Amino acid sequence: MLAKRIIPCLDVKDGQTVKGVNFQNLQYAGDPVSLAKRYSDEGADELVFLDITATNEGRETMLHLVEEVGKQIFIPFTVGGGIKSIVDIRNILLAGADKVSLNTAAVNNPFLITQAAASFGSQCVVVAIDAKKEEDDWYVYINAGQKKTDIKVREWVKVIEKLGAGEILLTSMDADGTQKGFDIELTKMVSTNSNLPVIASGGAGPVPEHFSEVFEKGAADAALAASIFHYRTLEIKDLKNYLDEKGIAVRK
């Protein structure tokens, strides 16, 4: 059995780590470089860095900050936000990232997924899906959750797999920041409709059971969280010990 991964996330705005609820009311949560180093030292399996306002502000990802973070960590590092082209992807990888996360750009230009996979390998291409439930189904949102599309999540996951994506970063907008637990129904739906590894995101609270549940019931391959790690309401080491005791394979 492949070990489940625990992944802290740095949502970055104006050079600082922030966190909100349902993608709104952002609050300062710390210096991204210092947090990144702490997570690398404390046993996180990977790190995700999202420049959450780059797309809506029409600018490129803050490469200098990506470089600073990359110098401090020794774990796989995924960067997203403001990516529009192969050149952008190359620049981010050269700045120290191991993978890129595509959301708005992938929806607007699905061929970019194929181009990126051909140029850098599928293992470098993470497609982020911001999902929100409308009536009886989930739909893909873009532009940092500001714009709804007509794309159903269950259909999109099949498309991106065929195009060459290597992984899915799935965020439940409904659960985001609530700390009431991951959206198990959504996560399971995506996991069972795709052969790609799925990173579950949105809703993790300082309750280790939230993580065991998303692994066991949601069939997630990894779980991402932000505020509970930023504010140390749940320590990565304690979480991994809990999962290990539950018989869930984790990297110690």
Side-chain angles (χ1 to χ4, degrees):
M1 179 188 296
L2 289 175
K4 303 296 187 181
R5 292 168 287 148
I6 303 299
I7 306 177
C9 181
L10 304 176
D11 291 323
V12 177
K13 180 178 185 291
D14 301 327
Q16 299 295 331
T17 308
V18 296
K19 192 66 190 94
V21 177
N22 306 130
F23 286 37
Q24 304 292 327
N25 302 317
L26 301 177
Q27 303 293 322
Y28 172 70
D31 171 62
V33 179
S34 299
L35 285 172
K37 183 179 187 308
R38 194 184 98 201
Y39 294 140
S40 182
D41 293 344
E42 290 179 353
D45 297 304
E46 299 186 18
L47 182 71
V48 169
F49 173 113
L50 301 176
D51 187 342
I52 61 172
T53 58
T55 296
N56 289 343
E57 292 174 359
R59 59 173 174 77
E60 296 177 350
T61 312
M62 293 179 281
L63 289 178
H64 67 285
L65 200 51
V66 172
E67 289 175 352
E68 289 302 310
V69 169
K71 291 175 184 176
Q72 298 295 325
I73 64 176
F74 301 95
I75 53 177
F77 179 31
T78 300
V79 174
I83 300 170
K84 298 181 290 295
S85 67
I86 285 291
V87 172
D88 292 339
I89 293 171
R90 180 178 290 109
N91 288 339
I92 288 171
L93 295 174
L94 289 173
D98 300 285
K99 309 176 192 179
V100 294
S101 173
L102 306 174
N103 182 359
T104 303
V107 170
N108 291 338
N109 176 21
F111 183 59
L112 181 60
I113 300 171
T114 304
Q115 285 183 297
S119 299
F120 310 109
S122 290
Q123 79 283 351
C124 290
V125 185
V126 179
V127 174
I129 301 175
D130 292 338
K132 191 171 184 179
K133 196 165 192 179
E134 306 279 347
E135 296 179 353
D136 294 325
D137 216 334
W138 289 272
Y139 287 84
V140 174
Y141 276 66
I142 59 174
N143 293 87
Q146 300 301 306
K147 183 178 179 182
K148 181 191 174 186
T149 72
D150 293 327
I151 303 170
K152 292 184 177 181
V153 172
R154 69 179 69 244
E155 296 169 357
W156 183 230
V157 298
K158 294 177 182 177
V159 171
I160 63 176
E161 182 175 345
K162 290 179 181 177
L163 290 173
E167 193 167 26
I168 295 170
L169 171 53
L170 176 67
T171 300
S172 167
M173 293 179 62
D174 299 304
D176 176 70
T178 63
Q179 297 196 15
K180 294 179 180 178
F182 294 96
D183 189 327
I184 303 301
E185 187 182 2
L186 169 65
T187 306
K188 184 177 181 180
M189 183 272 289
V190 171
S191 297
T192 54
N193 274 276
S194 172
N195 295 310
L196 297 178
V198 174
I199 304 169
S201 169
V207 183
E209 288 83 1
H210 287 171
F211 290 81
S212 59
E213 186 178 42
V214 81
F215 291 140
E216 293 177 330
K217 297 180 181 178
D221 298 276
L224 178 147
S227 56
I228 61 168
F229 295 145
H230 299 338
Y231 303 125
R232 310 195 89 135
T233 53
L234 181 62
E235 298 282 357
I236 293 172
K237 180 180 178 181
D238 294 338
L239 172 58
K240 286 194 168 186
N241 286 338
Y242 168 83
L243 293 171
D244 184 54
E245 290 171 3
K246 287 273 292 182
I248 296 171
V250 290
R251 297 168 184 167
K252 301 289 282 184

